[in-house]
Amino acid sequence: PENVRVYEFAEKIGKTAGDVIKVLFALGMMVTKNDFLSKDEIEILAEEFGVEVTTMNPLDELDYVQVYDAKPNENLEERPPVITIMGHVDHGKTSLLDRIRSAKVADKEAGGITQHVGAYQIEKEGKKITFVDTPGHEAFTEMRSRGAQATDIVIIVVAADDGVMPQTKEAIAHTKAAGVPMIVAINKIDKPNANPDNVKAQLAEIDVMAADWGGEYEFVPVSAHSGEGIDELLETILLQAEVMELEADPTREAKAVVVESSLEKGFGPVANVIIKNGTLHVGDNVIVGTTYGRIRAIKLDDGSNVKEIGPSTPAAIVGLNEVPGAGETLVVMENEKEARELAEKRAEYERAKQLSKSTKASLEDLSALI
Ligand code: GTP
Ligand code: MG
């Protein structure tokens, strides 16, 4: 498949090839107007020109970056931060989230059953915050594909009685590698054997120095059980988010990331998504990886049905033809035909790639035998 050339990309975003070349040149990248753009170059350009870029195949953008949509964000507005909670098994990630949500859950309980969407939104002093929970035992690649694409800030949860453990270190390494800001929540401070200073010292050893020790990371001692420190944690999140000036354009068509997905009796394929940009409406035709469909229902984390959702909102969506993979990107298409055709093209590409992989593998197997 052909990728996108400099002048084609410029056309899509309403700029001249010269504008595009200038931006890359300033960063030491020499291209001419007929050159194909790499994934990195496209990302830089999207950032520079404030456009949302959608590629033909988000399943494997590395070797296939044909851009089919690149449109400027014309009505940027502040959006809520998306927070992913990570940490070692049993350090209290889910409990912390439950405690954070408790006020809201109690408020809405009369309205209906709480839905499991893997992501939740709360409100603190009129500001919304979206949270994504991750299981401590899961393989990291999996975890990353769930949350990372939508994550603005990571909360590393460390139990004050247990201290830094292997998965704490792993979560920190991945967060740092992804360049995502990190806040440390020292949990379980209600326990008699809690030792927050020990956690601080252990983290200092791996270059995560607490701000009150002269480092760059905010540490917040909390207890999911007593509720102590939860307000401070939320305030720290909002402060960090403010610095980041997170924005999205709610007036454009939606782009979302799948956090979880499943096949539900009576609903069919259900995808739990977080909106990255734009607004998603019931009735929208969408493509997600190699599947597509028309949005039939949008369910919020409190179980209520809504007609539309904007940036950073987590929700379960119904109407896809198949269950999409976690980490895949949902994009709104012009109409059903367009969505189906592109989904089929992608599926075909995936099959071809799998086939070439297995051919290669069998050749390697063969040479290993010789
Ligand atoms: P995984 O999802 O399996 O990785 O675990 P998790 O990090 O979500 O931990 P979870 O919230 O399930 O809590 C594990 C255990 O720690 C439970 O028994 C909780 O009741 C307990 N726990 C969590 N937070 C606190 C706390 O602040 N204080 C005390 N004393 N116990 C806590
Ligand atoms: Mg958990």
Side-chain angles (χ1 to χ4, degrees):
E2 294 284 277
N3 283 330
V4 70
R5 293 177 193 270
V6 169
Y7 76 88
E8 291 167 334
F9 185 85
E11 261 169 34
K12 277 181 188 288
I13 63 169
K15 300 280 173 192
T16 66
D19 294 333
V20 169
I21 292 168
K22 248 186 266 168
V23 165
L24 294 176
F25 183 78
L27 293 163
M29 284 172 259
M30 311 285 194
V31 294
T32 66
K33 83 191 211 339
N34 285 318
D35 283 346
F36 287 110
L37 288 165
S38 71
K39 179 176 184 276
D40 288 349
E41 287 164 345
I42 287 172
E43 273 172 8
I44 289 167
L45 292 168
E47 180 79 34
E48 191 68 28
F49 290 114
V51 297
E52 185 73 51
V53 168
T54 303
T55 58
M56 285 291 273
N57 200 337
L59 296 177
D60 192 354
E61 292 178 33
L62 281 174
D63 61 11
Y64 195 66
V65 287
Q66 189 171 39
V67 171
Y68 75 82
D69 194 10
K71 262 196 230 152
N73 290 313
E74 275 155 355
N75 302 287
L76 284 176
E77 284 177 22
E78 188 182 342
R79 66 167 176 84
V82 177
I83 315 296
T84 297
I85 305 190
M86 289 187 174
H88 197 74
V89 181
D90 276 354
H91 278 198
K93 299 177 290 297
T94 304
S95 304
L96 209 53
L97 197 45
D98 283 350
R99 168 60 77 159
I100 289 169
R101 294 172 63 221
S102 62
K104 187 193 173 191
V105 175
D107 280 349
K108 297 264 175 110
E109 213 102 70
I113 331 135
T114 307
Q115 292 276 299
H116 173 75
V117 298
Y120 312 90
Q121 195 169 62
I122 63 128
E123 218 172 292
K124 166 86 177 163
E125 286 150 16
K127 298 263 186 194
K128 290 176 172 158
I129 308 176
T130 300
F131 286 98
V132 183
D133 193 10
T134 64
H137 60 263
E138 215 165 320
F140 245 100
T141 43
E142 174 91 356
M143 259 204 226
R144 270 196 303 176
S145 70
R146 282 156 168 255
Q149 290 187 55
T151 302
D152 299 307
I153 302 166
V154 167
I155 306 261
I156 301 283
V157 176
V158 191
D161 58 336
D162 209 18
V164 172
M165 298 299 272
Q167 276 149 307
T168 317
K169 289 187 184 168
E170 213 181 332
I172 289 169
H174 281 88
T175 305
K176 280 187 169 180
V180 177
M182 192 162 75
I183 295 168
V184 178
I186 305 180
N187 191 31
K188 308 198 188 185
I189 53 162
D190 59 285
K191 284 198 153 186
N193 56 340
N195 189 349
D197 276 345
N198 180 45
V199 174
K200 276 188 181 172
Q202 286 177 327
L203 287 177
E205 261 172 47
I206 55 169
D207 279 330
V208 181
M209 188 73 85
D212 58 351
W213 283 13
E216 58 169 309
Y217 297 96
E218 291 301 331
F219 280 48
V220 188
V222 296
S223 165
H225 277 193
S226 74
E228 201 185 331
I230 301 288
D231 274 345
E232 286 83 346
L233 180 61
L234 297 179
E235 273 154 24
T236 307
I237 290 168
L238 287 176
L239 221 60
Q240 174 68 45
E242 213 176 293
V243 173
M244 294 171 82
E245 292 179 14
L246 304 166
E247 287 180 322
D249 178 357
T251 63
R252 63 179 300 149
E253 64 288 358
K255 190 168 181 182
V257 60
V258 177
V259 180
E260 259 178 45
S261 56
S262 56
L263 198 60
E264 303 284 335
K265 238 187 178 164
F267 290 107
V270 174
N272 299 324
V273 302
I274 294 177
I275 307 296
K276 291 189 74 173
N277 199 3
T279 296
L280 183 69
H281 314 83
V282 168
D284 280 349
N285 284 293
V286 301
I287 177 166
V288 192
T290 56
T291 186
Y292 68 100
R294 187 151 189 260
I295 306 293
R296 275 197 288 127
I298 302 174
K299 258 183 195 304
L300 296 184
D301 55 4
D302 63 5
S304 63
N305 279 287
V306 290
K307 288 270 173 274
E308 57 180 42
I309 46 170
S312 298
T313 311
I317 56 156
V318 182
L320 297 175
N321 292 323
E322 284 166 45
V323 179
E328 277 175 359
T329 303
L330 172 150
V331 177
V332 172
M333 304 294 285
E334 212 42 46
N335 51 52
E336 196 192 326
K337 182 168 173 277
E338 204 179 87
R340 176 169 29 86
E341 283 174 2
L342 183 52
E344 280 165 3
K345 236 190 233 172
R346 284 180 176 177
E348 203 178 296
Y349 173 74
E350 278 305 296
R351 272 194 300 276
K353 210 173 68 183
Q354 287 307 323
L355 205 64
S356 80
K357 246 190 218 156
S358 57
T359 317
K360 221 197 266 166
S362 57
L363 278 177
E364 274 163 15
D365 292 346
L366 206 60
S367 59
L369 288 173
I370 295 167

